Amino acid sequence: MLAVMASSFFWTGSLLGQDPLAHRKSNLTIVVQDGNGNAISDATIDLKMTKHAFQFGTQVHDRLFTIAESDFGSLNNNQKRGLIGDFSGTSIVPTWQDTLNYRAAISDNFNHIIPTNGMQWLPYQNNGPQHVDAAIHEAQANGMTVTGHAVVWQKTDWPTPNQFRPAANPDPQVFHDTLVAERLGPAGIVTRFSDAGAGPTVLDWDVLNEPLHVTHYSDVFVDAGIYPTEKHAWADYFIRADGLRPDANLAINDYNILSSGGDNAAMQYRDLVNDLLVLGAPIDQIKVQAHMDRTVSKAALTRRLDILAETGLPIAISEFDMRDDANQISPANQKQLFQDILEASFEHESVNGFSMWGFWDPAHWRGNGPLFDEDWIVKDEASAWFDLVRGEWMTGFEDQAIGVDGIWNGDAIDGTYDFTVNVNGQSQVFSGFALTDNSTFTLTVSAVPEPSCVVALSIVAIAAVGRRRRKPTRVGAIEVKR
């Protein structure tokens, strides 16, 4: 592992061939000086990444993420099961400790969330934005970004409101106008969650979900002559969203692209995106769900990402998990697949995000969360996450010697960093420096102690931002075992 390294040794492509993570790294220069601007050379420095610049996210259950203990205690067992979706089939009733573990796991592992299912059309109609607002506020208060999922999901059943399902034989124009008003209009959801709206601002939206597989809305609209083709309808969804939210990242999202038996699905998805771009759809990003139900090699994963990258758009893995409810993938193969898809994604220059669709078995739609079992024990299949994402890819250096000019220089993976300057037996932490491009940070120690002195150091730091907690060895009160 390269998470913690001594002396001034750096791993570069010259040692093992070309560095596959070179595009994730920036040159970092740190200048250490005293209050008079004089270089401090008789010092060492520790560097520790606290947050990735790359987006590592997860789906969250809105209310489970934020419910107060008093409200939790007032729920009956069925209502408590409802907080986790009760997908696992085990009839597990979550405890309050489970909610604390759930939140700790999110804080410790992710910098991005996707609240569900409160932003979907039917539940949002029925329940309003209260729980979604709380989840977004909580995430943003802790430095996380948020995806709004999903604006248009053209299913014949949930989350389509009952009056617009096929059995209701909806009036096409009423159907279309209601969709626009509630999802894509000035009073709709994407506007509410903006600077001009009543809710917290969300800058990332899955505008169109699964158009390769569900087409109920556009089928009705095309049959009624509202649009000439389905692709015109889909392009219009993006055009309307962009008219309301030119500040937002607008994405298309679909499945069975990476998990397919061949490359044809990736080609079909690429061609669809290109066709929509020709029709004027302002698509900003391609998202790939990655619900994996078979083993796929790293080479095949990379090849399919290459195919999507031919569009020129950035890509995100949006809903990763692995299926084992019918023994499709063995635990050993899940472990290898998790490592392969993480590496393929992080090494690919067009990929800028990786999110899993939940992480804890009881709150996972397939009962197979990628990280934790029912008792919050880290799964063996999850080792790549902790070895790579939370380990090797979180750059750390210890006891780095400062040059005679007061300068330390090296390459580091982009992210937010804490620096600890050690001078004559005294240490001072400088927190929250965001490295996303070649950068120089100046750390000013206001008082430099003599070797025999014990003096508290104060600092003046440039470009300080919020600080995240380091990953503990426990999730809540449960020891993490690996």
Side-chain angles (χ1 to χ4, degrees), residues 4 8 26 56 69 128 177 182-183 197 237 246 265 284 322 336 370 374 377 393 399 409 429 433:
V4 177
S8 57
S26 295
F56 285 110
E69 184 173 10
D177 293 349
E182 296 190 9
R183 310 299 287 179
Y237 303 157
D284 296 313
M322 295 174 286
Q336 185 62 54
E374 176 182 337
I377 304 300
W393 296 343
D399 297 324
N409 179 267
V429 176
F433 291 79

Side-chain angles (χ1 to χ4, degrees), residues 131-436:
H131 300 314
V132 176
D133 281 0
I136 296 171
H137 281 304
E138 176 68 18
Q140 292 178 342
N142 286 281
M144 298 179 182
T145 52
V146 179
T147 288
H149 178 86
V151 182
V152 180
W153 192 6
Q154 304 180 123
K155 293 181 68 180
T156 57
D157 51 14
W158 189 98
T160 300
N162 293 336
Q163 67 267 34
F164 299 127
R165 297 179 186 181
N169 192 27
D171 178 275
Q173 195 64 57
V174 173
F175 185 3
H176 177 269
D177 293 349
T178 306
L179 172 69
V180 169
E182 296 190 9
R183 310 299 287 179
L184 293 163
I189 190 170
V190 297
T191 305
R192 185 187 183 279
F193 291 96
S194 71
D195 290 347
T201 298
V202 173
L203 293 172
D204 182 66
W205 289 92
D206 295 341
V207 173
L208 180 58
N209 199 41
E210 303 177 356
L212 292 174
H213 297 89
V214 288
T215 60
H216 168 51
Y217 300 9
S218 51
D219 289 343
V220 172
F221 302 155
V222 170
D223 288 346
I226 297 173
Y227 297 101
T229 70
E230 289 189 323
K231 290 178 183 177
H232 281 85
W234 303 343
D236 187 54
Y237 303 157
F238 279 96
I239 291 168
R240 290 177 183 273
D242 185 62
L244 297 167
R245 296 296 308 279
D247 61 321
N249 181 72
L250 307 180
I252 189 170
N253 189 45
D254 221 316
Y255 66 92
N256 200 31
I257 308 302
L258 298 182
S259 60
S260 178
D263 294 345
N264 286 343
M267 295 177 185
Q268 183 185 11
Y269 197 22
R270 172 203 63 195
D271 293 345
L272 170 60
V273 171
N274 281 333
D275 288 347
L276 294 178
L277 292 172
V278 169
L279 291 173
I283 302 172
D284 296 313
Q285 186 180 42
I286 300 172
K287 293 189 179 180
V288 185
Q289 292 185 13
H291 299 294
M292 307 302 292
D293 58 5
R294 69 179 74 212
T295 56
V296 180
S297 70
K298 181 179 175 181
L301 294 167
T302 300
R303 187 173 62 250
R304 293 168 194 177
L305 292 171
D306 287 341
I307 291 169
L308 298 179
E310 293 172 13
T311 63
L313 295 177
I315 302 164
I317 307 303
S318 59
E319 303 182 20
F320 168 76
D321 54 32
M322 295 174 286
R323 187 167 189 171
D324 70 347
D325 53 332
N327 299 316
Q328 286 95 332
I329 311 178
S330 70
N333 287 338
Q334 288 182 56
K335 181 177 182 178
Q336 185 62 54
L337 177 57
F338 202 176
Q339 178 173 331
D340 287 345
I341 196 169
L342 282 171
E343 290 180 344
S345 301
F346 202 60
E347 292 172 6
H348 202 287
E349 293 192 30
S350 293
V351 177
N352 58 13
F354 183 101
S355 292
M356 58 186 68
W357 208 240
F359 52 87
W360 177 45
D361 281 357
H364 190 271
W365 73 297
R366 281 178 165 167
N368 186 38
L371 300 186
F372 301 102
D373 69 10
E374 176 182 337
D375 297 318
W376 292 100
I377 304 300
V378 173
K379 297 180 174 183
D380 182 58
E381 299 94 305
S383 59
W385 179 266
F386 294 98
D387 291 343
L388 296 175
V389 177
R390 308 304 301 167
E392 183 175 327
W393 296 343
M394 293 198 78
T395 308
F397 303 108
E398 292 183 348
D399 297 324
Q400 301 293 293
I402 303 298
V404 294
D405 54 359
I407 293 176
W408 179 93
N409 179 267
D411 291 334
I413 293 176
D414 290 347
T416 302
Y417 282 81
D418 287 353
F419 308 128
T420 302
V421 177
N422 308 293
V423 184
N424 294 332
Q426 301 298 308
S427 299
Q428 178 63 52
V429 176
F430 298 69
S431 299
F433 291 79
L435 176 68
T436 56

